[in-house]
Amino acid sequence: MLESLTTSAQQYFSVVVSASLKYLILAFLTYYVSVVLYGIRWKLVLRGVGRDAPLHELVKAILASIFMNNVTPMSRSGGELLRMAWVSKKANIPTGVSAVSIVYERILETIPIFALFLVGMMYFSSGEPLPFVILGIAGVVLIWIKWDAFVRLSLRVFRTPVTDEEMRKITALRSMHSLNMAAVMLSSTVWLLDVVRLKLIALAFGLNLAWSFIAVISIANLLFGLLAFTPGGVGIIEGGLVGTLTYFGIPMALAVSITLLERFVSYVASSLVGLAVLLTSGGVEIWKALKSQ
């Protein structure tokens, strides 16, 4: 795995040095601003269930989880478990509560993802994609209505019991409108920054792509990441993005360059930062304790 990461890093670095430094710095900035916003959103959700954790610990947990996601098979398989164990160790938050807080974050993310999907659909059609709108809204509403059942299912998956009092607070999250609004706004900002990062990376090579087209690429990037079974989606995400870009008429050389620079920011550099956090903040001990359970 380390040899593969080293080879990929060398390949990506050769592309990075040919890109505009200004846009590269801005792309990095958007990525790590997103990480901080994820930490703020997580903190809000934890407060909603009567728990709290220092923002810097939440950000470190997210950074370390990014590294773990990048080196373990299947998307987010190891990172989310590390996040749960991290706040349990550092902030004395029950694993059941942290598990549900993470699941709740993902539910709130469906709204901006759906909006991004609609923007992407506008690239293909000038009319309103009504069937997709109805299907998307129905899916979000179903999850919302069946929130209690979804919570209990997630607790079974993570094998994390909670007390009756904790369960009451967890199920009450749905009625906290101000919290939900703030969390959705943060999620929307993160996804907007995702699109902005891809735009900046394209600009780093002198290519000014339409925003709706960038939304399509962002959705494709998300889908490839979810479907990937290799650590960090190595090979699958790169091939998928290059294929998507060339399918829409981007020259092969530019498609490869954009893909490699995007993966340098979101995979290679983020893995190195996450590894540094893991090694310097007690994350190795947390991961070992998690694996021993």
Side-chain angles (χ1 to χ4, degrees):
M1 180 61 206
L2 289 177
E3 182 180 351
S4 174
L5 183 60
T6 302
T7 303
S8 297
Q10 292 173 344
Q11 185 182 20
Y12 297 158
F13 184 75
S14 66
V15 171
V16 170
V17 295
S18 67
S20 168
L21 182 60
K22 176 180 68 174
Y23 290 117
L24 177 59
I25 292 173
L26 289 173
F28 271 109
L29 181 62
T30 58
Y31 185 87
Y32 289 102
V33 168
S34 296
V35 172
V36 174
L37 292 180
Y38 273 133
I40 295 172
R41 185 186 66 181
W42 194 10
K43 186 177 181 69
L44 288 177
V45 174
L46 286 172
R47 280 184 175 178
V49 293
R51 298 284 178 169
D52 200 6
L55 179 60
H56 70 276
E57 287 295 344
L58 297 179
V59 170
K60 287 194 292 185
I62 293 170
L63 289 171
S65 74
I66 291 171
F67 166 75
M68 199 56 62
N69 284 332
N70 287 345
V71 298
T72 54
M74 303 302 293
S75 176
R76 304 176 188 265
S77 60
E80 304 296 40
L81 292 174
L82 179 62
R83 284 175 64 188
M84 291 166 48
W86 194 291
V87 295
S88 177
K89 175 73 173 180
K90 301 286 187 176
N92 197 30
I93 295 176
T95 54
V97 173
S98 61
V100 173
S101 71
I102 292 170
V103 171
Y104 195 70
E105 287 183 294
R106 299 296 171 232
I107 292 175
L108 294 175
E109 271 189 358
T110 59
I111 297 174
I113 290 175
F114 175 57
L116 184 62
F117 175 74
L118 290 182
V119 172
M121 287 296 299
M122 291 171 60
Y123 182 81
F124 299 100
S125 173
S126 58
E128 183 181 12
L130 186 59
F132 294 100
V133 173
I134 295 174
L135 183 62
I137 292 176
V140 173
V141 170
L142 180 62
I143 291 176
W144 202 248
I145 292 175
K146 294 297 184 180
W147 165 239
D148 292 1
F150 199 76
V151 167
R152 296 183 187 281
L153 177 62
S154 66
L155 290 173
R156 288 182 181 179
V157 170
F158 286 113
R159 298 179 182 179
T160 49
V162 296
T163 65
D164 291 339
E165 176 64 17
E166 288 169 344
M167 190 65 191
R168 185 188 64 78
K169 291 180 179 179
I170 289 167
T171 53
L173 279 172
R174 187 171 54 180
S175 61
M176 298 180 181
H177 303 303
S178 59
L179 182 151
N180 293 327
M181 182 68 70
V184 168
M185 289 180 64
L186 287 169
S187 299
S188 301
T189 303
V190 167
W191 281 102
L192 178 61
L193 287 174
D194 234 34
V195 174
V196 170
R197 186 179 77 247
L198 287 170
K199 177 81 168 181
L200 290 168
I201 288 172
L203 287 171
F205 296 105
L207 190 61
N208 189 9
L209 299 176
W211 287 105
S212 56
F213 178 71
I214 294 291
V216 172
I217 302 305
S218 184
I219 286 292
N221 198 24
L222 170 67
L223 292 176
F224 293 137
L226 292 175
L227 296 174
F229 55 86
T230 58
V234 172
I236 296 175
I237 293 178
E238 288 90 342
L241 280 180
V242 170
T244 302
L245 288 166
T246 54
Y247 176 81
F248 288 109
I250 305 299
M252 176 62 76
L254 271 176
V256 171
S257 296
I258 291 171
T259 298
L260 292 180
L261 185 54
E262 153 60 17
R263 292 293 280 163
F264 180 82
V265 174
S266 64
Y267 178 72
V268 177
S270 67
S271 295
L272 295 175
V273 172
L275 176 60
V277 171
L278 195 73
L279 294 176
T280 59
S281 301
V284 174
E285 290 75 15
I286 294 173
W287 180 249
K288 287 180 179 178
L290 180 63
K291 288 182 66 177
S292 65
Q293 293 179 358

